[in-house]
Amino acid sequence: MGGALYYLYMKRLLASLSLLLLMVSAGAQGLAVDKDTQRIREEFQDRKFGIFLHWGIYSMMADGEWIMHHRNIDCNEYSKLAGGFYPSLFDAHEWTQLFKEAGAQYVTFTSRHHDGFSMWGTKATPYNIVDATPYKRDILGALAEACREQGLKLHLYYSHLDWYRPDYPTGWTHKVPRDESAFNWESYYAFMNRQLTELLTNYGPIGAIWFDGMWDHKEQGFDWRLEEQYALIKRLQPTCLIGNNHHGSPIGVEDFQLFEQDLPGQNTAGFSGEQKISQLPLETCMTMNNSWGYNITDNNYKDGDDLIRRLVTAAGLNANFLLNIGPQPDGKLPEQAVKRLKHIGEFMKVNGSTIYGTRGGCVPPQSWGVTTQKGKMLYIHILNNVEDGQIFLPLTENKLAKVTMFADDTKLKFKREKEGYRIFLPELPKTVDCILTATLKCPPLPH
Ligand code: GLC
């Protein structure tokens, strides 16, 4: 290690040691994160790629999960869909095998969406898959078992807002007038906590609870009583992570930060405007077409290579990628989605080691692509066209020892310049992500 580099390294090391001391003293006030929490957060980050599933009785209407809202449907009329829900072709094992082959490491399932219908045999309401449909089987139970078999972690989406229950004090998303005298926050809150208790008691280890819908109440001062609810989750399963799609910066003991339809730092969908990127694990969720729930006319699918590029870019930005599928009402996954999963799977089988277990690399995103990093290994993902046969790597706080093509270990030439390194490329193969492996002289500097 050169003198200047050593000095920098020690300076950073001392800075992080004092931060550690600060955290330990904060620990006395209950603010620091314990070792187990730190470990499960890191394991979550290592998994990098998950499958999001939006499935419920709305799938029968084949126009997304917001159909009840968009078409001003009375909730009692809507609830009659349950009597016809019979996904005769549903096979949890087939699904999870496919997810596994696609390279996914976890599944996030909509246990109860905004329509208020529960996809498990909850005792807290008869409005559920076992008691209200002719199918009568516990879909969540089947999925939990199939995930366990494939070694996939199961995360559960849970809606804070509810378009069905009379006791939920409705917010702006409710268009059909409600009887306000029936609003009863205490009883609704108790209902949610009873359901969460079931979810965290009856289905084995749950990787995360993924909340959504708090934005239904825009008014300041609406108290969701998150602290108590989060404490309940941690009491029931201390290793269950908490994430909340409230579109803001993380609150309280939340373990990861969510970004809807955008990579961290972008705001093309308009949900991330108020989010500062935190130090917590990050997760971007995204649709393959334009819909979360099954939509029979939405064929606007991103192509397979585009999805791979987004996954890799998310990794380069230090985020997990949660890719959505809206299963059909018959229990099959749309063919378009299956085709794309297989395409991603082929890529991940060969290149997964440059993604899983990595963090965003020490070189920030460049016009040519992104970097991921594991210890001294820096993976350079060239995702865009490179015109003059070379790329520039702004790297001054570390040194390059060696650069090779990831695919076949061919050694590449590079040159040190004032602001970093210039790497000379051979004729690059036409591939979605041309990966180079750069070995650094030193392990990553502590942040
Ligand atoms: C939004 C939508 C919801 C969807 C979620 C996924 O919050 O309300 O339908 O489940 O995004 O990120």
Side-chain angles (χ1 to χ4, degrees):
M1 214 183 280
L5 189 59
Y6 180 76
Y7 171 74
L8 237 162
Y9 193 81
M10 288 314 285
K11 210 170 111 188
R12 282 277 187 90
L13 199 65
L14 284 174
S16 20
L17 277 178
S18 38
L19 187 72
L20 200 73
L21 277 176
L22 207 75
M23 282 169 70
V24 170
S25 65
Q29 300 152 43
L31 299 171
V33 163
D34 60 63
K35 266 195 354 233
D36 282 342
T37 306
Q38 191 56 31
R39 176 182 52 80
I40 52 169
R41 286 182 183 174
E42 283 175 15
E43 286 171 4
F44 167 61
Q45 282 185 295
D46 288 347
R47 290 190 193 100
K48 279 290 165 310
F49 176 35
I51 299 293
F52 208 171
L53 292 171
H54 275 72
W55 203 34
I57 54 176
Y58 46 78
S59 312
M60 299 173 78
M61 303 281 276
D63 194 12
E65 76 292 351
W66 273 65
I67 178 107
M68 188 167 157
H69 169 93
H70 292 323
R71 303 255 306 265
N72 288 335
I73 302 173
D74 175 86
C75 63
N76 295 310
E77 283 304 316
Y78 176 93
S79 70
K80 293 174 189 165
L81 286 172
F85 191 59
Y86 195 99
S88 59
L89 303 176
F90 171 57
D91 180 347
H93 299 280
E94 196 181 296
W95 284 14
T96 51
Q97 197 179 337
L98 195 71
F99 302 156
K100 185 80 185 197
E101 281 166 14
Q105 305 229 338
Y106 62 102
V107 174
T108 306
F109 180 66
T110 45
S111 62
R112 170 174 152 280
H113 208 272
H114 308 333
D115 67 351
F117 186 80
S118 301
M119 294 293 275
W120 78 100
T122 174
K123 299 279 180 285
T125 168
Y127 195 41
N128 72 67
I129 186 76
V130 175
D131 297 311
T133 73
Y135 191 62
K136 295 195 188 314
R137 275 164 264 173
D138 190 322
I139 280 179
L140 176 58
L143 195 62
E145 189 195 306
C147 281
R148 250 191 316 276
E149 267 180 30
Q150 291 290 352
L152 294 163
K153 279 269 172 200
L154 179 62
H155 295 192
L156 297 176
Y157 171 107
Y158 189 83
S159 175
H160 265 132
L161 75 88
D162 189 302
W163 293 331
Y164 178 72
R165 289 179 64 90
D167 57 357
Y168 171 67
T170 55
W172 70 266
T173 60
H174 218 107
K175 293 206 285 192
V176 178
R178 303 298 294 261
D179 171 11
E180 290 191 20
S181 69
F183 292 176
N184 184 340
W185 167 252
E186 282 303 322
S187 99
Y188 180 67
Y189 187 66
F191 160 77
M192 286 197 291
N193 290 344
R194 192 170 164 204
Q195 285 211 312
L196 289 165
T197 304
E198 289 179 352
L199 292 173
L200 291 160
T201 309
N202 303 334
Y203 297 93
I206 299 300
I209 298 287
W210 205 104
F211 287 110
D212 187 25
M214 260 174 59
W215 31 256
D216 192 31
H217 283 277
K218 289 193 175 133
E219 69 269 32
Q220 297 280 312
F222 185 92
D223 186 5
W224 289 93
R225 287 169 60 187
L226 291 182
E227 209 178 321
E228 201 181 320
Q229 196 164 59
Y230 288 178
L232 170 75
I233 294 170
K234 296 290 183 187
R235 202 163 52 243
L236 291 165
Q237 288 200 23
T239 56
C240 177
L241 300 172
I242 299 173
N244 192 328
N245 188 30
H246 45 51
H247 300 154
S249 300
I251 303 172
V253 297
E254 287 169 15
D255 296 286
F256 59 108
Q257 185 177 11
L258 314 182
F259 297 84
E260 179 176 340
Q261 296 286 33
D262 266 310
L263 296 170
Q266 303 176 338
N267 186 24
T268 61
F271 299 125
S272 305
E274 283 160 34
Q275 301 210 60
K276 288 208 180 66
I277 300 174
S278 75
Q279 292 300 308
L280 292 179
L282 313 174
E283 184 191 63
T284 278
C285 61
M286 202 169 272
T287 49
M288 277 198 196
N289 50 4
N290 295 330
S291 315
W292 298 100
Y294 177 59
N295 186 321
I296 204 163
T297 50
D298 180 0
N299 277 315
N300 196 11
Y301 276 82
K302 300 165 186 74
D303 73 36
D305 279 352
D306 184 1
L307 291 170
I308 291 172
R309 260 183 232 112
R310 287 170 199 254
L311 194 168
V312 174
T313 308
L317 290 167
N318 208 22
N320 285 19
F321 192 64
L322 182 63
L323 181 60
N324 183 73
I325 299 175
Q328 295 169 181
D330 63 1
K332 284 280 175 202
L333 303 176
E335 234 173 81
Q336 306 254 49
V338 173
K339 209 171 111 195
R340 280 156 181 80
L341 284 187
K342 291 192 169 153
H343 185 71
I344 297 172
E346 280 161 27
F347 172 83
M348 290 302 268
K349 212 180 298 151
V350 182
N351 303 302
S353 63
T354 68
I355 312 252
Y356 302 123
T358 64
R359 297 293 180 267
C362 59
V363 173
Q366 302 293 312
S367 59
W368 42 259
V370 298
T371 64
T372 53
Q373 189 167 351
K374 213 186 284 177
K376 280 192 196 176
M377 307 308 280
L378 181 72
Y379 299 106
I380 300 172
H381 299 267
I382 303 177
L383 299 164
N384 303 319
N385 281 340
V386 176
E387 307 247 296
D388 47 2
Q390 42 182 276
I391 58 166
F392 182 70
L393 208 61
L395 179 73
T396 49
E397 291 192 2
N398 211 322
K399 283 184 180 162
L400 279 189
K402 186 170 131 189
V403 182
T404 58
M405 297 288 290
F406 174 75
D408 60 10
D409 273 344
T410 313
K411 265 183 119 175
L412 300 188
K413 291 209 172 86
F414 57 90
K415 179 174 101 191
R416 177 92 206 223
E417 290 178 3
K418 199 158 160 254
E419 304 292 331
Y421 288 87
R422 192 159 299 281
I423 301 175
F424 301 96
L425 307 166
E427 175 123 26
L428 293 182
K430 288 243 166 309
T431 162
V432 52
D433 176 12
C434 180
I435 306 170
L436 317 182
T437 311
T439 315
L440 301 171
K441 284 241 165 84
C442 311
L445 297 166
H447 283 283

PDB file of all heavy atoms in Angstrom, residues 52 54 65-66 110 113-114 157 210 212-213 215 245 247 260-261 271 285 292, ligand 1:
ATOM      1  N   PHE A  52     -41.642 -10.305  -7.026  1.00  0.00           N
ATOM      2  CA  PHE A  52     -42.806  -9.705  -6.387  1.00  0.00           C
ATOM      3  C   PHE A  52     -44.037 -10.350  -7.025  1.00  0.00           C
ATOM      4  O   PHE A  52     -44.088 -10.499  -8.256  1.00  0.00           O
ATOM      5  CB  PHE A  52     -42.799  -8.204  -6.697  1.00  0.00           C
ATOM      6  CG  PHE A  52     -43.452  -7.316  -5.678  1.00  0.00           C
ATOM      7  CD1 PHE A  52     -43.338  -5.936  -5.785  1.00  0.00           C
ATOM      8  CD2 PHE A  52     -44.174  -7.821  -4.610  1.00  0.00           C
ATOM      9  CE1 PHE A  52     -43.914  -5.078  -4.848  1.00  0.00           C
ATOM     10  CE2 PHE A  52     -44.757  -6.978  -3.672  1.00  0.00           C
ATOM     11  CZ  PHE A  52     -44.628  -5.604  -3.800  1.00  0.00           C
ATOM     12  N   HIS A  54     -48.202 -10.063  -7.267  1.00  0.00           N
ATOM     13  CA  HIS A  54     -49.475  -9.396  -6.962  1.00  0.00           C
ATOM     14  C   HIS A  54     -50.589 -10.318  -7.411  1.00  0.00           C
ATOM     15  O   HIS A  54     -50.889 -10.421  -8.602  1.00  0.00           O
ATOM     16  CB  HIS A  54     -49.563  -8.054  -7.701  1.00  0.00           C
ATOM     17  CG  HIS A  54     -48.913  -6.932  -6.966  1.00  0.00           C
ATOM     18  ND1 HIS A  54     -47.554  -6.820  -6.852  1.00  0.00           N
ATOM     19  CD2 HIS A  54     -49.442  -5.873  -6.284  1.00  0.00           C
ATOM     20  CE1 HIS A  54     -47.274  -5.734  -6.138  1.00  0.00           C
ATOM     21  NE2 HIS A  54     -48.398  -5.145  -5.787  1.00  0.00           N
ATOM     22  N   GLU A  65     -54.642  -4.311  -9.843  1.00  0.00           N
ATOM     23  CA  GLU A  65     -55.137  -4.470  -8.468  1.00  0.00           C
ATOM     24  C   GLU A  65     -55.891  -3.246  -7.945  1.00  0.00           C
ATOM     25  O   GLU A  65     -56.475  -3.293  -6.870  1.00  0.00           O
ATOM     26  CB  GLU A  65     -53.965  -4.842  -7.548  1.00  0.00           C
ATOM     27  CG  GLU A  65     -53.016  -3.720  -7.180  1.00  0.00           C
ATOM     28  CD  GLU A  65     -52.179  -3.199  -8.345  1.00  0.00           C
ATOM     29  OE1 GLU A  65     -52.189  -3.809  -9.436  1.00  0.00           O
ATOM     30  OE2 GLU A  65     -51.521  -2.158  -8.169  1.00  0.00           O
ATOM     31  N   TRP A  66     -55.910  -2.165  -8.743  1.00  0.00           N
ATOM     32  CA  TRP A  66     -56.638  -0.961  -8.326  1.00  0.00           C
ATOM     33  C   TRP A  66     -58.009  -0.861  -8.985  1.00  0.00           C
ATOM     34  O   TRP A  66     -58.662   0.178  -8.923  1.00  0.00           O
ATOM     35  CB  TRP A  66     -55.819   0.297  -8.672  1.00  0.00           C
ATOM     36  CG  TRP A  66     -54.829   0.700  -7.614  1.00  0.00           C
ATOM     37  CD1 TRP A  66     -53.733  -0.007  -7.206  1.00  0.00           C
ATOM     38  CD2 TRP A  66     -54.846   1.903  -6.838  1.00  0.00           C
ATOM     39  NE1 TRP A  66     -53.058   0.674  -6.234  1.00  0.00           N
ATOM     40  CE2 TRP A  66     -53.714   1.860  -5.981  1.00  0.00           C
ATOM     41  CE3 TRP A  66     -55.679   3.012  -6.763  1.00  0.00           C
ATOM     42  CZ2 TRP A  66     -53.421   2.880  -5.076  1.00  0.00           C
ATOM     43  CZ3 TRP A  66     -55.380   4.035  -5.865  1.00  0.00           C
ATOM     44  CH2 TRP A  66     -54.258   3.961  -5.028  1.00  0.00           C
ATOM     45  N   THR A 110     -48.242 -10.752  -2.011  1.00  0.00           N
ATOM     46  CA  THR A 110     -49.308  -9.894  -1.481  1.00  0.00           C
ATOM     47  C   THR A 110     -50.251 -10.716  -0.592  1.00  0.00           C
ATOM     48  O   THR A 110     -51.173 -11.365  -1.077  1.00  0.00           O
ATOM     49  CB  THR A 110     -50.142  -9.304  -2.641  1.00  0.00           C
ATOM     50  OG1 THR A 110     -50.425 -10.359  -3.582  1.00  0.00           O
ATOM     51  CG2 THR A 110     -49.429  -8.176  -3.335  1.00  0.00           C
ATOM     52  N   HIS A 113     -54.004  -7.189  -0.127  1.00  0.00           N
ATOM     53  CA  HIS A 113     -53.799  -5.922  -0.844  1.00  0.00           C
ATOM     54  C   HIS A 113     -54.852  -4.910  -0.412  1.00  0.00           C
ATOM     55  O   HIS A 113     -55.638  -5.159   0.503  1.00  0.00           O
ATOM     56  CB  HIS A 113     -53.764  -6.161  -2.365  1.00  0.00           C
ATOM     57  CG  HIS A 113     -52.943  -5.130  -3.065  1.00  0.00           C
ATOM     58  ND1 HIS A 113     -53.468  -3.942  -3.501  1.00  0.00           N
ATOM     59  CD2 HIS A 113     -51.621  -5.084  -3.362  1.00  0.00           C
ATOM     60  CE1 HIS A 113     -52.498  -3.212  -4.049  1.00  0.00           C
ATOM     61  NE2 HIS A 113     -51.363  -3.883  -3.976  1.00  0.00           N
ATOM     62  N   HIS A 114     -54.906  -3.763  -1.108  1.00  0.00           N
ATOM     63  CA  HIS A 114     -55.816  -2.688  -0.691  1.00  0.00           C
ATOM     64  C   HIS A 114     -57.279  -3.133  -0.699  1.00  0.00           C
ATOM     65  O   HIS A 114     -58.105  -2.566   0.008  1.00  0.00           O
ATOM     66  CB  HIS A 114     -55.676  -1.460  -1.599  1.00  0.00           C
ATOM     67  CG  HIS A 114     -54.281  -0.957  -1.780  1.00  0.00           C
ATOM     68  ND1 HIS A 114     -53.295  -1.139  -0.845  1.00  0.00           N
ATOM     69  CD2 HIS A 114     -53.700  -0.267  -2.800  1.00  0.00           C
ATOM     70  CE1 HIS A 114     -52.171  -0.581  -1.278  1.00  0.00           C
ATOM     71  NE2 HIS A 114     -52.386  -0.054  -2.460  1.00  0.00           N
ATOM     72  N   TYR A 157     -46.039  -8.837   1.579  1.00  0.00           N
ATOM     73  CA  TYR A 157     -46.635  -7.522   1.363  1.00  0.00           C
ATOM     74  C   TYR A 157     -47.886  -7.462   2.241  1.00  0.00           C
ATOM     75  O   TYR A 157     -48.661  -8.422   2.312  1.00  0.00           O
ATOM     76  CB  TYR A 157     -47.017  -7.396  -0.116  1.00  0.00           C
ATOM     77  CG  TYR A 157     -47.845  -6.177  -0.470  1.00  0.00           C
ATOM     78  CD1 TYR A 157     -47.284  -5.110  -1.174  1.00  0.00           C
ATOM     79  CD2 TYR A 157     -49.193  -6.103  -0.132  1.00  0.00           C
ATOM     80  CE1 TYR A 157     -48.044  -4.003  -1.514  1.00  0.00           C
ATOM     81  CE2 TYR A 157     -49.951  -4.990  -0.457  1.00  0.00           C
ATOM     82  CZ  TYR A 157     -49.370  -3.949  -1.148  1.00  0.00           C
ATOM     83  OH  TYR A 157     -50.130  -2.857  -1.484  1.00  0.00           O
ATOM     84  N   TRP A 210     -43.600  -6.189   4.212  1.00  0.00           N
ATOM     85  CA  TRP A 210     -43.469  -5.096   3.229  1.00  0.00           C
ATOM     86  C   TRP A 210     -44.778  -4.312   3.262  1.00  0.00           C
ATOM     87  O   TRP A 210     -45.775  -4.732   2.670  1.00  0.00           O
ATOM     88  CB  TRP A 210     -43.283  -5.764   1.873  1.00  0.00           C
ATOM     89  CG  TRP A 210     -42.597  -5.057   0.756  1.00  0.00           C
ATOM     90  CD1 TRP A 210     -41.325  -5.281   0.313  1.00  0.00           C
ATOM     91  CD2 TRP A 210     -43.161  -4.078  -0.152  1.00  0.00           C
ATOM     92  NE1 TRP A 210     -41.066  -4.504  -0.783  1.00  0.00           N
ATOM     93  CE2 TRP A 210     -42.180  -3.757  -1.087  1.00  0.00           C
ATOM     94  CE3 TRP A 210     -44.405  -3.447  -0.264  1.00  0.00           C
ATOM     95  CZ2 TRP A 210     -42.375  -2.844  -2.119  1.00  0.00           C
ATOM     96  CZ3 TRP A 210     -44.602  -2.528  -1.279  1.00  0.00           C
ATOM     97  CH2 TRP A 210     -43.594  -2.240  -2.190  1.00  0.00           C
ATOM     98  N   ASP A 212     -47.502  -1.219   2.723  1.00  0.00           N
ATOM     99  CA  ASP A 212     -47.845  -0.299   1.629  1.00  0.00           C
ATOM    100  C   ASP A 212     -49.169   0.383   1.960  1.00  0.00           C
ATOM    101  O   ASP A 212     -50.056  -0.235   2.557  1.00  0.00           O
ATOM    102  CB  ASP A 212     -47.993  -1.111   0.330  1.00  0.00           C
ATOM    103  CG  ASP A 212     -48.171  -0.228  -0.890  1.00  0.00           C
ATOM    104  OD1 ASP A 212     -47.731   0.941  -0.856  1.00  0.00           O
ATOM    105  OD2 ASP A 212     -48.732  -0.714  -1.888  1.00  0.00           O
ATOM    106  N   GLY A 213     -49.311   1.625   1.559  1.00  0.00           N
ATOM    107  CA  GLY A 213     -50.616   2.280   1.634  1.00  0.00           C
ATOM    108  C   GLY A 213     -50.752   3.409   2.632  1.00  0.00           C
ATOM    109  O   GLY A 213     -51.803   4.048   2.696  1.00  0.00           O
ATOM    110  N   TRP A 215     -49.695   6.213   2.471  1.00  0.00           N
ATOM    111  CA  TRP A 215     -49.933   7.484   1.758  1.00  0.00           C
ATOM    112  C   TRP A 215     -51.433   7.748   1.553  1.00  0.00           C
ATOM    113  O   TRP A 215     -51.823   8.796   1.052  1.00  0.00           O
ATOM    114  CB  TRP A 215     -49.190   7.478   0.414  1.00  0.00           C
ATOM    115  CG  TRP A 215     -49.055   6.116  -0.188  1.00  0.00           C
ATOM    116  CD1 TRP A 215     -47.923   5.355  -0.212  1.00  0.00           C
ATOM    117  CD2 TRP A 215     -50.086   5.320  -0.791  1.00  0.00           C
ATOM    118  NE1 TRP A 215     -48.183   4.141  -0.793  1.00  0.00           N
ATOM    119  CE2 TRP A 215     -49.503   4.091  -1.164  1.00  0.00           C
ATOM    120  CE3 TRP A 215     -51.433   5.521  -1.056  1.00  0.00           C
ATOM    121  CZ2 TRP A 215     -50.220   3.074  -1.780  1.00  0.00           C
ATOM    122  CZ3 TRP A 215     -52.160   4.507  -1.664  1.00  0.00           C
ATOM    123  CH2 TRP A 215     -51.548   3.308  -2.016  1.00  0.00           C
ATOM    124  N   ASN A 245     -43.458   0.995   2.024  1.00  0.00           N
ATOM    125  CA  ASN A 245     -43.503   1.761   0.782  1.00  0.00           C
ATOM    126  C   ASN A 245     -44.268   3.070   0.990  1.00  0.00           C
ATOM    127  O   ASN A 245     -45.233   3.345   0.297  1.00  0.00           O
ATOM    128  CB  ASN A 245     -44.190   0.889  -0.291  1.00  0.00           C
ATOM    129  CG  ASN A 245     -44.119   1.492  -1.671  1.00  0.00           C
ATOM    130  OD1 ASN A 245     -43.173   2.200  -1.999  1.00  0.00           O
ATOM    131  ND2 ASN A 245     -45.130   1.232  -2.488  1.00  0.00           N
ATOM    132  N   HIS A 247     -43.054   5.926   0.534  1.00  0.00           N
ATOM    133  CA  HIS A 247     -42.491   6.891  -0.418  1.00  0.00           C
ATOM    134  C   HIS A 247     -41.662   7.987   0.255  1.00  0.00           C
ATOM    135  O   HIS A 247     -41.347   8.995  -0.383  1.00  0.00           O
ATOM    136  CB  HIS A 247     -43.598   7.547  -1.280  1.00  0.00           C
ATOM    137  CG  HIS A 247     -44.378   6.550  -2.098  1.00  0.00           C
ATOM    138  ND1 HIS A 247     -45.670   6.777  -2.509  1.00  0.00           N
ATOM    139  CD2 HIS A 247     -44.050   5.335  -2.575  1.00  0.00           C
ATOM    140  CE1 HIS A 247     -46.114   5.740  -3.200  1.00  0.00           C
ATOM    141  NE2 HIS A 247     -45.142   4.841  -3.249  1.00  0.00           N
ATOM    142  N   GLU A 260     -40.207   2.668  -5.473  1.00  0.00           N
ATOM    143  CA  GLU A 260     -41.236   2.078  -6.344  1.00  0.00           C
ATOM    144  C   GLU A 260     -41.030   2.520  -7.789  1.00  0.00           C
ATOM    145  O   GLU A 260     -41.041   3.713  -8.078  1.00  0.00           O
ATOM    146  CB  GLU A 260     -42.622   2.505  -5.836  1.00  0.00           C
ATOM    147  CG  GLU A 260     -43.751   1.962  -6.681  1.00  0.00           C
ATOM    148  CD  GLU A 260     -45.137   2.295  -6.122  1.00  0.00           C
ATOM    149  OE1 GLU A 260     -45.278   2.612  -4.937  1.00  0.00           O
ATOM    150  OE2 GLU A 260     -46.089   2.244  -6.918  1.00  0.00           O
ATOM    151  N   GLN A 261     -40.842   1.595  -8.670  1.00  0.00           N
ATOM    152  CA  GLN A 261     -40.723   1.823 -10.118  1.00  0.00           C
ATOM    153  C   GLN A 261     -39.520   2.666 -10.521  1.00  0.00           C
ATOM    154  O   GLN A 261     -39.462   3.132 -11.651  1.00  0.00           O
ATOM    155  CB  GLN A 261     -41.990   2.471 -10.693  1.00  0.00           C
ATOM    156  CG  GLN A 261     -43.255   1.649 -10.610  1.00  0.00           C
ATOM    157  CD  GLN A 261     -43.307   0.487 -11.607  1.00  0.00           C
ATOM    158  OE1 GLN A 261     -42.277  -0.109 -11.933  1.00  0.00           O
ATOM    159  NE2 GLN A 261     -44.490   0.131 -12.082  1.00  0.00           N
ATOM    160  N   PHE A 271     -42.755   8.848  -7.423  1.00  0.00           N
ATOM    161  CA  PHE A 271     -42.994   8.395  -6.044  1.00  0.00           C
ATOM    162  C   PHE A 271     -41.807   8.683  -5.120  1.00  0.00           C
ATOM    163  O   PHE A 271     -41.907   8.551  -3.914  1.00  0.00           O
ATOM    164  CB  PHE A 271     -43.255   6.881  -5.991  1.00  0.00           C
ATOM    165  CG  PHE A 271     -44.466   6.453  -6.759  1.00  0.00           C
ATOM    166  CD1 PHE A 271     -44.366   5.480  -7.748  1.00  0.00           C
ATOM    167  CD2 PHE A 271     -45.706   7.012  -6.504  1.00  0.00           C
ATOM    168  CE1 PHE A 271     -45.485   5.072  -8.458  1.00  0.00           C
ATOM    169  CE2 PHE A 271     -46.821   6.619  -7.205  1.00  0.00           C
ATOM    170  CZ  PHE A 271     -46.720   5.643  -8.190  1.00  0.00           C
ATOM    171  N   CYS A 285     -38.528  -1.882  -6.483  1.00  0.00           N
ATOM    172  CA  CYS A 285     -39.497  -2.824  -7.050  1.00  0.00           C
ATOM    173  C   CYS A 285     -39.986  -2.273  -8.388  1.00  0.00           C
ATOM    174  O   CYS A 285     -40.119  -1.059  -8.553  1.00  0.00           O
ATOM    175  CB  CYS A 285     -40.649  -3.088  -6.093  1.00  0.00           C
ATOM    176  SG  CYS A 285     -41.621  -1.645  -5.664  1.00  0.00           S
ATOM    177  N   TRP A 292     -49.099  -4.094 -11.865  1.00  0.00           N
ATOM    178  CA  TRP A 292     -48.686  -5.000 -10.780  1.00  0.00           C
ATOM    179  C   TRP A 292     -49.581  -6.245 -10.811  1.00  0.00           C
ATOM    180  O   TRP A 292     -49.111  -7.355 -10.960  1.00  0.00           O
ATOM    181  CB  TRP A 292     -48.807  -4.296  -9.419  1.00  0.00           C
ATOM    182  CG  TRP A 292     -47.932  -3.092  -9.274  1.00  0.00           C
ATOM    183  CD1 TRP A 292     -48.302  -1.788  -9.403  1.00  0.00           C
ATOM    184  CD2 TRP A 292     -46.527  -3.077  -8.984  1.00  0.00           C
ATOM    185  NE1 TRP A 292     -47.220  -0.963  -9.206  1.00  0.00           N
ATOM    186  CE2 TRP A 292     -46.121  -1.723  -8.940  1.00  0.00           C
ATOM    187  CE3 TRP A 292     -45.561  -4.069  -8.746  1.00  0.00           C
ATOM    188  CZ2 TRP A 292     -44.800  -1.336  -8.675  1.00  0.00           C
ATOM    189  CZ3 TRP A 292     -44.255  -3.696  -8.478  1.00  0.00           C
ATOM    190  CH2 TRP A 292     -43.886  -2.356  -8.444  1.00  0.00           C
TER     191      TRP A 292
HETATM  192  C1  GLC B   1     -48.375   1.044  -5.107  1.00  0.00           C
HETATM  193  C2  GLC B   1     -49.751   0.531  -5.393  1.00  0.00           C
HETATM  194  C3  GLC B   1     -49.886  -0.904  -5.265  1.00  0.00           C
HETATM  195  C4  GLC B   1     -48.683  -1.754  -5.524  1.00  0.00           C
HETATM  196  C5  GLC B   1     -47.444  -1.125  -5.004  1.00  0.00           C
HETATM  197  C6  GLC B   1     -46.195  -1.888  -5.369  1.00  0.00           C
HETATM  198  O1  GLC B   1     -48.213   1.450  -3.833  1.00  0.00           O
HETATM  199  O2  GLC B   1     -50.717   1.119  -4.595  1.00  0.00           O
HETATM  200  O3  GLC B   1     -50.973  -1.337  -5.957  1.00  0.00           O
HETATM  201  O4  GLC B   1     -48.885  -2.896  -4.813  1.00  0.00           O
HETATM  202  O5  GLC B   1     -47.345   0.162  -5.425  1.00  0.00           O
HETATM  203  O6  GLC B   1     -45.072  -1.140  -5.189  1.00  0.00           O
END
